[in-house]
Amino acid sequence: MTSPKLNIATKFSSFSNGVAYVVGVVAKGEKVILADTAVEVSTIEQLDLSLLGAKSSLESVTRLAAPNGAVYLLIGLGTAELDSTALRSLAGAASRNLAEFKEIVFGLPTDSKEQTAAILEGSLLGSYQFGAYRSLNKLAPVQLAKITVISAHKPTPATLARAEILSESTSAIRDLVNSPANDIYPQSLAAAVQKLARGTGVTVEIWDEKRLAAEGFGGIIAVGKGSSRPPRMVRIDYKPKNAKAHLAFVGKGITFDSGGLQIKPATSMIGMKYDMTGAATVANAAIAIAKLQLPVRVTAWMCIAENLVSGTSTRPSDVIKIRNGKTVEVINTDAEGRLVLADGLSIASEAKPDLIVDVATLTGASSIALGHRYTGLMGHGLGVEKAKAAAEAAGELVWHMPLPADLRVSLNSDIADIANAKFGAKGGMLLGGLFLQEFIGKKAKGNDPIDWAHLDIAPSANNDQAPWGYNAKGPTGVMLRTLVSLAESYC
Ligand code: BES
Ligand code: ZN
Ligand code: ZN
């Protein structure tokens, strides 16, 4: 889909045939009534909207006929405050329900330029769909060619371009994650990112399996060696001349996680093509930041391998050596994400960046703790507060979780420096964080570790519940906007 034209109108003009006009509805006692809107509503003002099926609950949608062959989309505003985050989400929900319209006009109330931009952003994010693998029941292509927000608060052209870049990059993540593991394997994922990066001003470097082994990436090699499709490491480097800081992003890129020899049960393996979401996210974040030409250096590391079962797979109790020299006893071959990330965090640390952020579908335990929408956030130094503020600015949900030192004993190994897991241990999400922490290098000066944030996106990467906000069922592209906001916080 080519990006729709983004338009701001200061006031409502007239109804056009085939255009959808989005108007909020709220509860008033037992009734459902129209919320404040700039859209002309005289033909529906007197109607009993409840009898027509309209509901005020958040994101419920009802279509009504408007003059001149136009259509109203009434959308429930719920009871929450209509800030940028809520408006982005509502605009996304409206757009998800208007795929066959060429133009959408939003008559939701706005108080600021940010809110106008949030509506445009949400509308773009919500108009994503993925039909690449259908030969029957093909999806009608998204028709949307123009999005109009009626508002007195007009964002700058740069802000409009930003909304387009964020949506493009989010779609790129969703496309990669939706694509099945028979097409997206280490080599093809690396190639796909190389293609996405073309012309954006980043440099892409790819480590093949020989170079990975020669340069001591024992985690990536160990995880990838059960597959006939060898592992890769990809570095995407955006290095502007005027860089005010250097951020390193590290992403888990398991193109399929069978669990390895300690194989997953049949049902748990469904969805494991999503296990490369972290790598797709960090790569596209670096590319988005380059397209925005932010004065911040970003180095993204994609740690890519396929975790399969074969005569060459890593065995339970094997001991491997990570890039930074630490040895790991592999107690559970299904705790593979932390092994590839250990190499990624080690090499990312070598350049002494100001901040390291890793993004990973790391633990099932994070979903048990946080449900379906929140990303687990752990870290040390300035990492947690920087990531939290960035998520807040981007309107994404993160929850700060601790890294309790007393749990570290669960990772003691009888023969190696550390074990990758312990059966029956409590706090699985936190143990994942504690393991990764061991591979964050020291700052250039002093003895402190480099500031670090760990984002466990296992709960939030894949929306397997009903569609909500700008998320269809399937990959969400979550944390892309947080990483971009994070880079902006250094400008
Ligand atoms: N990729 C999984 C985590 C996952 C599970 C992501 C469900 C999304 C949905 C990860 O590699 C894994 O298998 N983790 C283990 C860790 C354990 C063996 C320490 C888990 O969560 O059970
Ligand atoms: Zn696993
Ligand atoms: Zn995994």
Side-chain angles (χ1 to χ4, degrees):
M1 182 182 100
T2 48
S3 196
K5 186 174 163 357
L6 305 182
N7 179 43
I8 318 298
T10 46
K11 56 183 201 319
F12 176 80
S13 54
S14 61
F15 288 103
S16 304
N17 189 279
V19 173
Y21 294 80
V22 179
V23 174
V25 289
V26 291
K28 190 178 180 193
E30 299 288 282
K31 294 250 172 256
V32 174
I33 59 160
L34 296 170
D36 271 353
T37 182
V39 172
E40 170 64 47
V41 286
S42 55
T43 60
I44 57 169
E45 232 162 11
Q46 305 304 325
L47 302 175
D48 185 328
L49 297 176
S50 309
L51 285 181
L52 289 164
K55 294 192 176 63
S56 64
S57 58
L58 192 64
E59 294 184 12
S60 67
V61 289
T62 313
R63 287 186 190 184
L64 290 183
N68 294 345
V71 171
Y72 286 115
L73 187 83
L74 304 184
I75 185 160
L77 302 185
T79 51
E81 188 201 338
L82 288 188
D83 56 10
S84 293
T85 301
L87 288 168
R88 187 185 293 105
S89 203
L90 283 162
S95 299
R96 262 195 301 104
N97 286 284
L98 294 170
E100 71 271 41
F101 285 82
K102 287 196 183 65
E103 184 177 351
I104 305 177
V105 176
F106 284 94
L108 299 172
T110 54
D111 276 345
S112 64
K113 291 186 222 175
E114 289 70 34
Q115 294 189 353
T116 307
I119 291 174
L120 292 167
E121 212 178 284
S123 180
L124 290 170
L125 292 167
S127 56
Y128 173 85
Q129 61 179 31
F130 186 74
Y133 286 83
R134 290 172 188 258
S135 79
L136 304 172
N137 296 321
K138 284 190 193 279
L139 302 175
V142 175
Q143 295 293 325
L144 194 58
K146 186 176 178 187
I147 306 169
T148 298
V149 178
I150 309 176
S151 173
H153 307 281
K154 189 174 175 150
T156 61
T159 305
L160 300 186
R162 178 182 184 275
E164 276 167 6
I165 289 168
L166 294 179
S167 127
E168 243 167 52
S169 302
T170 304
S171 297
I173 298 170
R174 291 169 172 178
D175 284 349
L176 287 170
V177 178
N178 262 321
S179 301
N182 55 335
D183 284 338
I184 292 290
Y185 45 91
Q187 201 177 353
S188 67
L189 178 56
V193 164
Q194 206 165 31
K195 194 168 161 201
L196 286 168
R198 218 168 279 159
T200 64
V202 303
T203 55
V204 178
E205 191 172 350
I206 300 176
W207 278 250
D208 66 9
E209 69 276 21
K210 286 199 193 84
R211 186 168 168 207
L212 286 169
E215 296 183 13
F217 294 92
I220 297 181
I221 293 291
V223 174
K225 76 191 188 128
S227 171
S228 60
R229 303 189 288 195
R232 293 286 182 270
M233 172 77 101
V234 181
R235 179 178 64 189
I236 299 107
D237 200 20
Y238 167 59
K239 200 175 176 182
K241 287 210 173 64
N242 52 349
K244 297 198 169 112
H246 181 195
L247 308 182
F249 299 157
V250 180
K252 171 176 173 181
I254 303 300
T255 56
F256 190 76
D257 182 10
S258 71
L261 285 177
Q262 282 149 307
I263 194 165
K264 287 181 183 293
T267 50
S268 312
M269 219 184 283
I270 304 295
M272 284 303 138
K273 69 172 184 179
Y274 285 91
D275 220 17
M276 36 60 74
T277 307
T281 305
V282 299
N284 281 291
I287 292 170
I289 291 163
K291 287 183 180 168
L292 290 165
Q293 300 187 320
L294 299 181
V296 179
R297 180 170 177 197
V298 175
T299 312
W301 297 92
M302 303 171 75
C303 310
I304 313 175
E306 186 175 40
N307 190 23
L308 288 191
V309 184
S310 77
T312 55
S313 295
T314 291
R315 292 157 288 260
S317 308
D318 280 1
V319 176
I320 61 174
K321 187 178 262 185
I322 302 300
R323 164 86 185 181
N324 73 349
K326 287 197 184 177
T327 58
V328 180
E329 185 178 7
V330 181
I331 295 297
N332 193 332
T333 59
D334 197 12
E336 82 300 335
R338 60 197 71 184
L339 302 177
V340 301
L341 289 169
D343 278 335
L345 295 169
S346 300
I347 190 152
S349 296
E350 289 170 24
K352 307 285 180 196
D354 297 293
L355 176 68
I356 300 177
V357 183
D358 72 75
V359 184
T361 47
L362 202 68
T363 65
S366 63
S367 301
I368 292 170
L370 296 175
H372 301 287
R373 296 190 182 182
Y374 278 83
T375 293
L377 163 64
M378 286 142 273
H380 61 219
L382 291 175
V384 170
E385 61 184 87
K386 289 297 276 183
K388 214 169 161 182
E392 174 80 34
E396 296 193 304
L397 300 169
V398 299
W399 198 257
H400 179 202
M401 301 297 291
L403 292 172
D406 67 284
L407 294 188
R408 175 59 181 78
V409 288
S410 292
L411 298 177
N412 287 346
S413 160
D414 292 338
I415 62 165
D417 298 337
I418 189 168
N420 77 330
K422 178 177 172 147
F423 282 91
K426 305 285 186 196
M429 165 172 31
L430 319 178
L431 278 177
L434 284 168
F435 180 91
L436 297 179
Q437 190 171 35
E438 304 265 336
F439 299 90
I440 305 293
K442 293 205 163 81
K443 288 184 178 172
K445 284 190 199 125
N447 223 12
D448 288 341
I450 297 167
D451 293 333
W452 165 63
H454 162 50
L455 296 168
D456 191 336
I457 56 169
S460 52
N462 170 26
N463 178 36
D464 56 7
Q465 304 296 107
W468 62 282
Y470 40 77
N471 300 297
K473 254 190 126 190
T476 58
V478 72
M479 292 298 118
L480 178 282
R481 288 183 291 117
T482 293
L483 293 179
V484 172
S485 291
L486 182 69
E488 287 169 336
S489 77
Y490 285 86
C491 297

